[in-house]
Amino acid sequence: MTKIVVAAVNVNGVRAAFRRGMGAWLDGARPDVLLLQEVRADAAVVADLLDGWHVVHEAGADAGRAGVAVASRTPLLEPRTGLGTPVAADQGRWVEAGVDVGGTVVRFASLYLHSATVGHPSLAAKYAYMSHVTERMAELGPTPAVVGGDFNIAHREVDIKNWKGNIGKSGFLVEERAWLDRWFDEMGWTDIGRALGGPGPGPYTWWSMRGRAFDNDTGWRIDYQIASPGLADRAVAARVDRAASYAERFSDHAPVVVTYDV
């Protein structure tokens, strides 16, 4: 068996994250694989900030928006960017690659789902993209695979502090949550953060930068690592690296860190 530590985090702009202390977090957490969302930078910037890492990255279609990356301490195998959709707005939302873990190739995908608005075309775009994601997950299901990232969906009431106040709002819609039900209940993928993180409430992974949401832990659990049926039972530990204080945050999201014994 070989242990591998995987961290998924929405960095809310990778340059800003490093200015705010992401490098120190990396030094302490020492992940072997990084799944990054909202990178919001070009390839040269990503390569410079992640010097020494093997990286596959796709920028968003619009400058300063979206962007995803998979980074590994060891070489990446058969990298793939995107899901083959023709919609430009879908760029910078899916990237994947294999990593040799003790002789077993595990596929790692970084996913950034849309932050949508009820009554706005962004919600239909989110559902359309989730359909493509579901198709790719079905292809990955028989293999050891992890999909990690910012799904912009709180799955259950225990995944959002103020769930009553968010009924009918994007991020907690019945229709959005039903996609996760399908992934977990029908397709057999496992929500590792919940499986190893206890019954909840929380631990939350995102807090608004406004007001005292972070200080009061008024958060949402919208960042995930989900594992395919062939890998889920290899997850041995999971945690959310919540910053010690508001001032010490390098993003409005906290990393989800999982150790797998492959």
Side-chain angles (χ1 to χ4, degrees):
M1 297 290 184
T2 301
K3 282 188 168 59
I4 184 170
V5 178
V6 182
V9 57
N10 180 319
V11 294
N12 195 19
V14 70
R15 285 168 291 197
F18 269 86
R19 287 197 302 268
R20 294 169 178 156
M22 181 176 170
W25 169 76
L26 280 174
D27 291 341
R30 299 186 62 80
D32 301 294
V33 174
L34 279 171
L35 310 175
L36 304 180
Q37 304 83 47
E38 270 202 280
V39 174
R40 300 195 314 211
D42 61 29
V45 169
V46 175
D48 180 57
L49 292 173
L50 295 177
D51 184 35
W53 292 77
H54 302 267
V55 181
V56 57
H57 162 253
E58 185 182 50
D62 299 321
R65 297 181 63 84
V68 284
V70 174
S72 171
R73 302 284 189 182
T74 58
L76 295 169
L77 308 174
E78 299 182 9
R80 168 176 173 161
T81 57
L83 292 171
T85 65
V87 182
D90 288 343
Q91 291 181 12
R93 295 191 178 276
W94 177 281
V95 68
E96 68 176 80
V99 175
D100 187 326
V101 185
T104 298
V105 175
V106 180
R107 297 293 293 180
F108 292 98
S110 178
L111 170 62
Y112 176 47
L113 285 176
H114 303 64
S115 176
T117 302
V118 174
H120 187 272
S122 59
L123 188 57
K126 183 174 187 174
Y127 293 151
Y129 198 66
M130 291 184 79
S131 177
H132 291 291
V133 170
T134 301
E135 292 174 5
R136 181 57 182 154
M137 287 175 58
E139 295 170 349
L140 289 172
T143 68
V146 173
V147 177
D150 177 4
F151 295 2
N152 272 309
I153 302 170
H155 187 211
R156 300 291 189 211
E157 293 172 3
V158 293
D159 297 318
I160 177 173
K161 182 69 170 286
N162 181 24
W163 66 268
K164 290 183 180 179
N166 283 280
I167 292 174
K169 297 181 181 178
S170 182
F172 197 57
L173 295 172
V174 171
E175 295 83 358
E176 290 173 303
R177 296 155 61 194
W179 284 96
L180 302 190
D181 291 336
R182 180 178 178 186
W183 295 352
F184 303 147
D185 299 338
E186 298 179 23
M187 299 174 64
W189 288 68
T190 297
D191 176 359
I192 301 299
R194 176 55 67 220
L196 297 182
Y204 306 123
T205 64
W206 177 83
W207 304 261
S208 172
M209 286 289 196
R210 299 188 296 272
R212 297 183 59 84
F214 183 81
D215 294 335
N216 296 329
D217 201 24
T218 304
W220 298 54
R221 193 177 74 94
I222 56 175
D223 302 88
Y224 297 79
Q225 285 194 43
I226 63 176
S228 65
L231 186 67
D233 63 353
R234 300 295 187 181
V236 296
R239 69 179 191 270
V240 174
D241 275 357
R242 187 180 191 272
S245 69
Y246 181 96
E248 295 171 82
R249 304 169 74 188
F250 65 80
S251 171
D252 51 350
H253 295 253
V256 177
V257 184
V258 177
T259 300
Y260 301 88
D261 199 352
V262 180

